[in-house]
Amino acid sequence: NAGVTQTPKFQVLKTGQSMTLQCAQDMNHNSMYWYRQDPGMGLRLIYYSASEGTTDKGEVPNGYNVSRLNKREFSLRLESAAPSQTSVYFCASREDSGGYTFGSGTRLTVV
Amino acid sequence: LAKTTQPISMDSYEGQEVNITCSHNNIATNDYITWYQQFPSQGPRFIIQGYKTKVTNEVASLFIPADRKSSTLSLPRVSLSDTAVYYCLVGVLLFSGGYNKLIFGAGTRLAVHP
């Protein structure tokens, strides 16, 4: 019972490079989310997907794109990484009437 | 979305009961109150959720007064392993095919001492 799996766990990028963060859940949840967490702060919502085939912007979407590939997978792409995107990224999924299940996070450093 | 206010930090000792109060003056009729726990280097973990009065599970209790403008998370007999950040969130909980968009604040850093 894996829950929410994120890859990679750690990544260092140079400014201007691109990368995709992968997220997969095996709980058959409809909604999925991407958050970022900066040191000492709470989580901020980047994008979310209410169901397969739909995506919407959250609080801080600039510089990111997402793809809900299927019901299981929701990826986050940084097209041109900037130092301000250095953060810990969490993917989550949620059952319709319950709480979120979070992945273990991806620590991204942009130099 | 209703804004929440929590203490930035709290200290306690092993074996004590800890109560963390969250203020949410602008809570809407359809909003539920949810609490999460986060350990360092991990994602938040769901603790408890409620709408009114009292909810209890194997981990914690949640007290919500009649006006619902605040809520209190109660952790009985804390241990060192309860040292974590606790988040209070308020948002609509939609059923069956819906979604919600909970917003996290800075949370309360609880430190449990021997």
Side-chain angles (χ1 to χ4, degrees):
Chain A
N1 189 2
V4 176
T5 303
Q6 291 184 235
T7 56
K9 294 189 183 301
F10 301 93
Q11 183 72 49
V12 179
L13 290 178
K14 293 183 179 179
T15 297
Q17 286 185 317
S18 62
M19 79 161 295
T20 300
L21 280 64
Q22 306 288 352
C23 175
Q25 52 96 3
D26 61 1
M27 297 169 286
N28 202 38
H29 290 170
N30 284 318
S31 56
M32 298 185 73
Y33 306 78
W34 276 105
Y35 286 88
R36 62 176 286 176
Q37 185 173 35
D38 299 325
M41 298 181 65
L43 285 76
R44 291 185 292 170
L45 182 64
I46 305 172
Y47 269 93
Y48 65 99
S49 170
S51 61
E52 183 180 354
T54 68
T55 62
D56 286 286
K57 296 178 180 180
E59 300 171 85
V60 288
N62 292 342
Y64 305 95
N65 286 301
V66 291
S67 295
R68 184 72 181 269
L69 305 170
N70 47 56
K71 192 169 187 179
R72 291 186 65 249
E73 299 173 287
F74 188 38
S75 62
L76 178 71
R77 182 161 179 84
L78 286 72
E79 291 290 351
S80 178
S84 61
Q85 294 178 304
T86 293
S87 189
V88 180
Y89 291 84
F90 290 101
C91 176
S93 69
R94 178 184 164 269
E95 59 184 322
D96 288 346
S97 58
Y100 289 73
T101 300
F102 283 84
S104 57
T106 295
R107 290 187 175 276
L108 176 67
T109 301
V110 182
V111 298
Chain B
L1 292 168
K3 177 178 168 59
T4 60
T5 303
Q6 305 174 232
I8 294 174
S9 63
M10 295 181 67
D11 289 275
S12 184
Y13 293 89
E14 284 190 291
Q16 289 189 333
E17 179 184 73
V18 171
N19 297 308
I20 306 175
T21 297
C22 178
S23 171
H24 29 79
N25 291 318
N26 297 324
I27 190 168
T29 302
N30 293 334
D31 285 342
Y32 276 69
I33 300 155
T34 312
W35 285 80
Y36 284 81
Q37 174 192 56
Q38 186 179 26
F39 298 113
S41 302
Q42 295 185 27
R45 183 175 71 103
F46 173 85
I47 301 176
I48 198 166
Q49 179 173 276
Y51 184 79
K52 61 180 179 180
T53 63
K54 177 183 175 182
V55 180
T56 298
N57 61 23
E58 64 278 5
V59 176
S61 295
L62 178 59
F63 298 91
I64 305 168
D67 66 6
R68 305 201 325 122
K69 293 184 182 299
S70 67
S71 60
T72 299
L73 174 72
S74 180
L75 305 172
R77 299 184 60 79
V78 294
S79 64
L80 296 177
S81 63
D82 291 316
T83 293
V85 178
Y86 292 82
Y87 296 97
C88 164
L89 293 88
V90 172
V92 176
L93 185 68
L94 299 177
F95 298 93
S96 183
Y99 66 95
N100 65 4
K101 196 170 64 173
L102 298 181
I103 304 298
F104 285 76
T108 298
R109 292 185 177 276
L110 172 66
V112 180
H113 305 282

